[in-house]
Amino acid sequence: MIHIKSPTEIEMIRRSGRLASETLDYVGSILREGLTTKEIDRLVHRFILDHKAVPATLGYKGFPGSCCVSINEEVVHAIPGSRTVKKGDVVKVDVTTILNGYYGDTTRTFLMEPVSDLARRLTMATKMAIDLAIETVRPGSRVGDIGAAIQGCVEKEGFSVVQEFVGHGVGVGFHEPPNIPHYGRAGTGVRLKKGMVFTIEPMINAGDWRVRILADGWTAVTSDGQLSAQFEHTLAVTADGCEVLTLSPAEREERARRAESPEALDLKTAKP
């Protein structure tokens, strides 16, 4: 059963989502060459606890980290450890906070400059794809509209959509119905209703869409060793569209600038 959230529940999810986005702002301020993913995890853990919340991933089905830090060919769910951040890396940090019992879930890709043209194009195409997907969300639209928008955007750029992992309902629980595939056909799937809250979290690969899981049982990597990028937001369906619940103030300003002059976006030079 899909849980339609009340205005009070959405406000509580909004607060948790705000903290999750602020956590990623914090990651952006401390991320530097030489940090291990374990050190990033430790800093994220302390930041979340200092804000009277808890990290949802810690202990979830045995996961040992307070966030996921996935680098380059690591697609998602990488366990924090000894891997060191280097110049040129594509670093994905996935944070889910539980604040007063409510979940906020978001992921951001950080580029460790200088990066390759491929890394920049891949990251910007992923950001464009999630933005286009968000624009489809309104009462009466369908889950397939979300996937079709993402798939059409990234395949046009020569990239591929990971199919093994999907977005999901969130808020009262970590993972709720419905599933939100990031590929598919417009006009198909579950019809969206006001009060639904879910994530959109496309994982986009530079090469083949397929992934494999490492021996740790968690870390997913690209099957061909090529780069992967990801962005994720939690959003609520409103009466006439949707509200993104995990946008930081800086992200809101950046989205507004791009909305005013989308023709200025150059996938080779724009910064995510």
Side-chain angles (χ1 to χ4, degrees):
M1 294 290 292
I2 296 173
H3 180 181
I4 301 299
K5 274 70 172 181
S6 69
T8 298
E9 288 175 319
I10 290 174
E11 171 58 23
M12 298 302 289
I13 300 166
R14 183 184 293 115
R15 293 179 187 180
S16 189
R18 184 181 306 125
L19 174 58
S21 70
E22 290 170 353
T23 304
L24 289 183
D25 284 349
Y26 171 68
V27 170
S29 73
I30 57 92
L31 193 59
R32 66 180 186 278
E33 185 181 14
L35 274 181
T36 67
T37 58
K38 185 64 175 178
E39 288 170 326
I40 296 168
D41 182 72
R42 178 179 57 81
L43 292 167
V44 165
H45 180 84
R46 176 49 53 194
F47 185 90
I48 293 173
L49 263 59
D50 285 348
H51 288 79
K52 312 304 181 186
V54 295
T57 56
L58 185 60
Y60 177 75
K61 295 185 177 180
F63 189 82
S66 295
C67 64
C68 303
V69 187
S70 308
I71 299 177
N72 294 338
E73 80 289 350
E74 295 172 339
V75 177
V76 70
H77 300 159
I79 296 174
S82 61
R83 186 166 184 171
T84 301
V85 174
K86 298 179 176 63
K87 288 182 179 178
D89 280 349
V90 178
V91 182
K92 289 84 67 177
V93 182
D94 184 353
V95 168
T96 306
T97 51
I98 308 175
L99 180 64
N100 298 319
Y102 291 85
Y103 291 74
D105 192 359
T106 186
T107 302
R108 202 177 300 173
T109 294
F110 300 91
L111 298 180
M112 299 302 296
E113 301 288 359
V115 298
S116 66
D117 286 346
L118 175 61
R120 191 178 309 282
R121 285 199 311 110
L122 174 67
T123 302
M124 290 310 304
T126 307
K127 173 165 274 195
M128 288 177 64
I130 192 172
D131 285 351
L132 288 171
I134 289 168
E135 290 176 5
T136 73
V137 176
R138 62 184 65 86
S141 67
R142 292 185 179 271
V143 165
D145 301 337
I146 296 169
I150 292 168
Q151 188 172 14
C153 175
V154 302
E155 289 185 352
K156 182 176 64 176
E157 299 297 330
F159 303 132
S160 63
V161 181
V162 172
Q163 298 184 16
E164 186 164 348
F165 303 105
V166 298
H168 51 87
V170 71
V172 177
F174 198 166
H175 296 94
E176 307 173 6
N179 287 339
I180 310 293
H182 304 116
Y183 61 96
R185 187 161 56 90
T188 64
V190 172
R191 193 177 296 278
L192 304 184
K193 298 179 180 180
K194 179 183 176 183
M196 292 173 68
V197 178
F198 52 82
T199 70
I200 301 176
E201 48 184 292
M203 287 141 271
I204 307 302
N205 293 350
D208 194 291
W209 63 267
R210 285 167 288 199
V211 304
R212 59 186 180 89
I213 308 299
L214 299 187
D216 62 21
W218 284 100
T219 307
V221 300
T222 56
S223 62
D224 54 10
Q226 293 206 49
L227 297 174
S228 186
Q230 183 189 18
F231 288 91
E232 174 186 15
H233 281 301
T234 298
L235 56 150
V237 182
T238 63
D240 57 359
C242 69
E243 177 188 356
V244 181
L245 304 177
T246 47
L247 277 181
S248 70
E251 287 179 300
R252 290 184 187 281
E253 291 178 8
E254 187 266 343
R255 280 169 62 91
R257 286 196 302 271
R258 284 197 288 120
E260 290 174 0
S261 45
E263 71 282 354
L265 181 59
D266 183 335
L267 291 183
K268 291 185 178 180
T269 61
K271 293 184 178 181

